[in-house]
Amino acid sequence: MQINPRFLDDFPRQAWLIRGRGRTLDVALGRNVALFEHGFFEGGWARTPGPEALRPEGIHLGSGAVWGDGRLTLIAPSHSLESVWTAETDGAVWAANSLALLVAATRPADFAIWRRRTVLRTIHRGLSAYRREVFATPEVRICRFANAFVTLAPDAAPADRAQCQEATFDSFETYVAFLRDTTAEAMASYGKPASVYLSRGYDSPATAVLARQIGPATAICLDQTAKGNDDDGTAIAERLGMPVVSATRRKRATRTVRAGPWDLALETIAPDDHATTFEFFNGTDISEESMLVPDEVVADRAILTGWFGDAIWGFEHPPSPDLQRSTNLAAGTGLADFRLRTGFMHVPIPALGFNRAAAIRAIGLSDAMKPWRLGTDYDRPIPRRLVEEAGIPRSWFGMAKQFTATKAANLHEIAPLLFDRLVDRYAPAMETGDLVRRPAELA
């Protein structure tokens, strides 16, 4: 193979794009992507000597690619919040770690993002049930792959094989040690300090405790939920000895709807909000817009979150070894383009070792965990024990289900505008790097 890697200054810091034509690979990289002899990677890893080893039992908290022996293998993150994306066109194969970036490069005709929303949301059905193909015409076929190694070849469709995290634990103590050691290893490979989005729920306080067990960490605290309820984790951060960056939720018109046993506040996103919300819409929701903070707060950090706490630590649904979640409330997939632009590693702590969900559930239901069971509909003894044993009073967290995520009442109206803005953001770099399908190819 002839490999032509280039770092582009006007590219998001951890974004990458590959165009393969015959045995030539053109590779565009952001400045935070690490380039090595036989590939590249953005983010960190654990339980593997490195991403180039392509070990399914490894944990990859980022994405990249490895080439050699005439093959190109893509590496997706070891969870389902982010994916790698491929496109097949006449005479070329493409790959990227952003759907909007891939669309900016390949320019598929008739690609309407709202019509793709149903298939994109199948990721919530779990890693064994989501649909790979998200768009297909005679000219372009686009696929998405999560928690996988994906092999690309000039004369064959992309082929994926699942990653299967190595995780050994049988008690609360050994499980917590696994989470702590794995996170520490990933942070060491990434080489950046930690920050934690910290609320008054269950999952983020547990994540904050693990972060402090590893070393210094900063808390990012949002003042309230969309309904105006107090969700500020500052007191927890101060008790843990963590410095705090405070964020204020934007005030919007809202209306409340019922979703299962929960009340959700739907916000109306006005036109003057489009300029800051667009990068959180990649085809599903804009839930992560609530995590918007100034770039310097998250750049060059390992950002630890409690995403998947509902699926892994809660009792609301049967334990799923492939990250199956509720399609009504599950979110988390909209953080990717914000992450790639600002440049950070995302560590969703509950997703570590997710393939052993049944063992984690057994730990939560064990006799040893009874002192930390509340017996309510909102009951997660594993994070409760972790936080209470760190000295946080029981009443400070996890007492009532809160929804910090942004839920848009008018998403169906603004979705095309938001996604077009996201595609347009990538377009100049694609033109500069000569990495777009040209008119002759589009005919």
Side-chain angles (χ1 to χ4, degrees), residues 268-314:
T268 298
I269 310 299
D272 60 354
D273 272 353
H274 293 183
T276 56
T277 59
F278 77 89
E279 72 177 336
F280 295 94
F281 180 72
N282 64 1
T284 54
D285 297 287
I286 58 167
S287 300
E288 291 66 54
E289 185 270 344
S290 62
M291 301 173 74
L292 176 64
V293 292
D295 294 359
E296 61 271 16
V297 174
V298 293
D300 294 321
R301 311 288 292 188
I303 303 297
L304 279 54
T305 72
W307 286 114
F308 294 113
D310 57 339
I312 301 299
W313 290 339

Side-chain angles (χ1 to χ4, degrees), residues 135-193:
F135 178 78
T137 67
E139 292 76 31
V140 181
R141 177 175 182 258
I142 294 177
C143 294
R144 174 256 310 271
F145 299 94
N147 189 58
F149 297 133
V150 185
T151 301
L152 298 182
D155 302 320
D160 65 309
R161 59 188 177 105
Q163 298 178 33
C164 184
Q165 300 184 19
E166 180 184 32
T168 303
F169 43 77
D170 57 8
S171 66
F172 172 81
E173 292 81 6
T174 55
Y175 176 51
V176 169
F178 163 79
L179 295 176
R180 182 179 57 246
D181 294 348
T182 300
T183 302
E185 186 179 351
M187 288 176 56
S189 66
Y190 189 56
K192 311 291 184 183

